[in-house]
Amino acid sequence: MTHPMWRIATYGAVFFGVTSFTIFWTRFAGGLALVWLGSAIGAALFLALPRARHPLAAAILIALSTLATSLFGFGPTWAFPLALVNIFEAWFIAWLLVRFRPERDYVDSAAGIVSLGFFAGLIGPATAAIPGAIIVSQIVGGNLATHALSWLVGHGLGTMLAMPLALLLQSYRRLNFAPLREAGRTLPFAGLMLLSIGISAIAFFQSTFPSLFFPVVPLVLASFRFGRFGASVVVLLISMAAAASLGMEIGVFAELEIPLWQKALFVQFYLATLLLISLPLAVALKQRQRFLEELIDREAMQRLIADHSDDALLHLDQHGTIRFASPASARLSGRESTDGMHLGAFFSDFDKQVVSDALDAAAESPGRTEIVERSVERDGKTRWLEAKLRAIESSKQQTSAYVVTIRDVTDRKLEEIQASFEARTDALTGLPNRRAFLDELEGRLDVAEKQPFAFALIDLDHFKRVNDAYGHSVGDSVLKEVAEIMRDSTNQDCFFARLGGEEFGMIAVGPALESSAIISERLRRTIQQHAMTDVNGGSFSVTASIGIAVIGERCSTSMAMQAADGPLYSAKASGRNCVRHAQDLKRFAQIDEPPRNKPIAAAN
């Protein structure tokens, strides 16, 4: 990075040389210099320096401006006051640009160029025009408004003409002209510069036919080929040719029937207009080139991701038809190609409506992601696919396309199913647990008025004696074998679960409701007759008490539990190993009264 003192010295030298030249050569009427480039150089310096260095830079520029005016302008008497106004104008332009356009993109964007023209070409010079005009009127007399207007035009146009080039050269302060040294660019650049000089000479040094528009041609070519830097260099060459023509009073400017100072203002306005034409064009072309490069890079990156991703990446039209599919689509769809097919091709035929509904939902809310998760058959195996859809809104606020990602989520889905199964399954017996039973019960209670069901509580009698006599491992074996007996009676109409400890539950619906009393009695007998084995190979039996109720109206879970708990208590009070019910279930089946048995845990 250049040291601030070196930068101040460099800018100071350029400032003194340029201001001295313009004061000496452009004070045609004995008044103000008609071309003033010093504010552009000073403002560029203030923009390049940290704020702490501004006072030092201002002092040096004031001294140099005072010296230039003393030697080549009005003399030493009024040199210092004019220097104060000139350097204040340069500092104020820099302050305005930083304050209202902190992005500092003064030659990099359309908004930046507008800010540069407004603050550097108008507001800054206008602020200094009145005090500057007052000083000049004290020196040479004349009308104050005329001097103010001359100041505004000369300083405004001069700043607009020089400042873009100063800012561009500032960005190239390390003299990094590598782009011009690239193969195929050096000779075209040199050739374009020579063409600009030739066309400018033809345009300005003859007056046979109108030709001021000629320099626009190399200017546009430079903007297209070499951007802002090329355009600024061409404007500089055109400016030199125009200044030479004006100074030599040869060519098209010599034919103008106006005073020389007005010719100078016209030339300056002409050159500033060329610059304002070329800079926005060059900026727009640069932004377009940058956008195209980013687009190409992004497309290449997306293509690389798509080619190596395990997910299928899809682009659909507004009808859901696949226009682009990444390589993973063949594996996930089971088809060689999905181009031109509907998104539903990835899923089963009976899921196509689900996919269509998801596309419609995405179209109604562009930007929101819709998710479809369905199972499919691939190579004789069940796989789970997850599709994420998002609609892309067109400029007319109509869905123009969809982007979709599809991935195989079989492993995750199996884990979810396994986790759900484990959360609803009793770990010891493999039967549904209390949570699963209560969910089933609540679902049945919601429709109990239309679909009555039988609800039973089953409790193993004196089970504590089994644990005490044979140990808990044998007790666990008994629970498993009882669960296996219940599993043999389980079907789509009859649901068994372990509620906790030695308590089980049953829900019977539909045809099973009609035979729920028979099912309960058969279960009781099977449990009683099933021989259990202890650790020594001996056998014993257990019995069960069952309370059953028919639920035919909607009620709470606790009320349903109480409806079956009453008959269960009655069964235990009747000596256990029997079935009792809250309603007369014998109208469904004839049940023999169970015999009174020996104690539940009786060894053979």
Side-chain angles (χ1 to χ4, degrees):
M1 181 178 293
T2 305
H3 192 277
M5 291 305 300
W6 282 106
R7 183 170 293 158
I8 292 173
T10 302
Y11 275 80
V14 174
F15 175 84
F16 180 75
V18 170
T19 53
S20 297
F21 179 82
T22 53
I23 291 172
F24 183 78
W25 287 102
T26 65
R27 293 180 64 249
F28 302 126
L32 289 168
L34 299 178
V35 179
W36 183 253
L37 308 177
S39 295
I41 300 171
L45 174 60
F46 287 123
L47 286 173
L49 290 174
R51 186 174 299 179
R53 299 283 184 173
H54 285 187
L56 176 61
I60 293 175
L61 291 180
I62 289 172
L64 293 173
S65 180
T66 301
L67 181 61
T69 302
S70 299
L71 295 175
F72 305 105
F74 296 116
T77 304
W78 293 97
F80 182 71
L82 275 177
L84 289 177
V85 177
N86 284 327
I87 304 310
F88 168 78
E89 177 183 283
W91 175 87
F92 188 55
I93 288 172
W95 182 86
L96 287 172
L97 290 172
V98 173
R99 174 67 177 80
F100 294 101
R101 192 67 185 177
E103 296 87 347
R104 293 176 177 256
D105 55 347
Y106 314 120
V107 289
D108 293 323
S109 70
I113 293 174
V114 171
S115 299
L116 183 66
F118 182 69
F119 294 117
L122 181 60
I123 300 300
T127 304
I130 295 177
I134 292 174
I135 294 173
V136 174
S137 65
Q138 296 298 318
I139 302 172
V140 299
N143 184 274
L144 182 64
T146 301
H147 290 310
L149 180 62
S150 297
W151 183 290
L152 176 62
V153 174
H155 283 234
L157 292 177
T159 302
M160 277 305 302
L161 184 62
M163 197 163 181
L165 184 58
L167 291 174
L168 284 171
L169 290 174
Q170 187 182 97
S171 65
Y172 290 106
R173 58 182 174 268
R174 294 186 180 183
L175 299 178
N176 179 20
F177 296 104
L180 296 181
R181 294 195 297 267
E182 294 176 0
R185 291 178 64 89
T186 304
L187 290 179
F189 181 79
L192 185 58
M193 299 305 104
L194 293 175
L195 178 65
S196 301
I197 294 173
I199 291 180
S200 298
I202 295 174
F204 302 139
F205 285 88
Q206 60 82 34
S207 58
T208 305
F209 54 88
S211 56
L212 289 181
F213 62 90
F214 279 10
V216 175
V217 176
L219 189 60
V220 172
L221 290 175
S223 300
F224 270 96
R225 190 72 174 85
F226 301 103
R228 300 163 302 160
F229 182 77
S232 298
V233 172
V234 170
V235 169
L236 179 62
L237 295 176
I238 295 172
S239 301
M240 294 171 62
S245 171
L246 183 65
M248 297 170 62
E249 296 188 8
I250 299 174
V252 64
F253 299 123
E255 299 297 322
L256 298 176
E257 296 181 357
I258 55 177
L260 184 59
W261 66 272
Q262 292 183 3
K263 294 179 181 179
L265 289 179
F266 173 76
V267 171
Q268 194 174 179
F269 180 80
Y270 167 76
L271 295 173
T273 301
L274 290 181
L275 189 67
L276 290 176
I277 291 174
S278 62
L279 271 184
L281 176 62
V283 168
L285 290 172
K286 180 182 179 181
Q287 291 177 338
R288 179 175 178 273
Q289 180 64 28
R290 184 185 300 135
F291 173 77
L292 289 176
E293 290 175 354
E294 291 177 355
L295 187 63
I296 292 172
D297 291 343
R298 188 180 306 165
E299 183 178 357
M301 180 61 69
Q302 290 176 344
R303 179 70 65 174
L304 180 65
I305 293 172
D307 289 346
H308 294 82
S309 174
D310 291 334
D311 298 347
L313 308 180
L314 309 176
H315 182 265
L316 317 180
D317 64 15
Q318 66 270 28
H319 303 297
T321 303
I322 300 171
R323 297 305 181 196
F324 166 79
S326 66
S329 301
R331 175 177 56 83
L332 295 178
S333 67
R335 305 171 186 270
E336 292 184 2
S337 175
T338 57
D339 291 347
M341 304 181 72
H342 191 269
L343 178 61
F346 280 82
F347 301 94
S348 302
D349 290 340
F350 53 81
D351 288 329
K352 288 185 177 180
Q353 187 58 48
V354 175
V355 175
S356 297
D357 292 343
L359 289 171
D360 292 340
E364 292 176 1
S365 303
R368 188 180 71 183
T369 301
E370 295 292 330
I371 299 177
V372 175
E373 190 176 84
R374 311 299 289 179
S375 62
V376 296
E377 292 295 325
R378 295 286 184 267
D379 300 326
K381 297 181 181 179
T382 300
R383 313 296 296 175
W384 283 86
L385 299 183
E386 178 191 75
K388 293 184 177 181
L389 308 83
R390 178 173 292 192
I392 302 173
E393 196 172 59
S394 67
S395 58
K396 298 181 180 180
Q397 295 189 348
Q398 296 178 346
T399 300
S400 60
Y402 299 89
V403 289
V404 182
T405 62
I406 300 179
R407 63 175 51 185
D408 188 328
V409 294
T410 303
D411 292 341
R412 188 196 74 193
K413 194 66 179 177
L414 291 178
E415 290 177 358
E416 292 176 358
I417 294 173
Q418 181 64 24
S420 177
F421 175 79
E422 291 175 355
R424 297 170 59 84
T425 302
D426 179 61
L428 177 64
T429 64
L431 287 177
N433 60 15
R434 186 180 187 87
R435 174 182 173 183
F437 185 80
L438 292 179
D439 288 345
E440 180 72 15
L441 178 59
E442 289 174 359
R444 292 299 174 184
L445 288 173
D446 288 340
V447 295
E449 294 180 353
K450 296 181 179 180
Q451 301 177 20
F453 64 94
F455 173 42
L457 292 177
I458 306 155
D459 191 85
L460 298 185
D461 300 324
H462 299 299
F463 188 73
K464 185 176 181 300
R465 296 180 184 177
V466 175
N467 285 328
D468 292 343
Y470 304 108
H472 287 281
S473 61
V474 174
D476 289 347
S477 297
V478 169
L479 293 175
K480 292 179 182 179
E481 294 192 43
V482 170
E484 190 62 32
I485 293 172
M486 293 179 178
R487 193 174 289 109
D488 290 340
S489 299
T490 299
N491 54 49
Q492 62 181 3
D493 297 322
C494 192
F495 178 85
F496 288 93
R498 184 189 179 198
L499 304 183
E502 67 273 19
E503 187 178 33
F504 298 83
M506 180 190 77
I507 295 175
V509 299
L513 169 61
E514 303 293 327
S515 58
S516 57
I518 297 175
I519 293 172
S520 299
E521 177 59 22
R522 184 186 303 122
L523 177 65
R524 182 197 66 80
R525 290 179 178 177
T526 304
I527 292 173
Q528 179 186 8
Q529 295 169 3
H530 186 81
M532 306 295 176
T533 304
D534 62 22
V535 292
N536 298 317
S539 63
F540 64 95
S541 65
V542 296
T543 60
S545 297
I546 302 174
I548 184 170
V550 172
I551 309 296
E553 60 183 18
R554 187 170 183 176
C555 64
S556 66
T557 302
S558 60
M559 291 182 64
M561 296 289 285
Q562 291 174 9
D565 195 53
L568 177 62
Y569 180 81
S570 176
K572 288 183 176 292
S574 300
R576 294 182 172 84
N577 190 23
C578 62
V579 177
R580 291 292 183 264
H581 41 79
Q583 298 184 28
D584 186 11
L585 296 183
K586 290 185 178 180
R587 62 190 178 90
F588 298 126
Q590 296 297 321
I591 304 176
D592 296 334
E593 286 295 327
R596 296 295 180 261
N597 293 287
K598 296 184 296 182
I600 297 304
N604 290 334

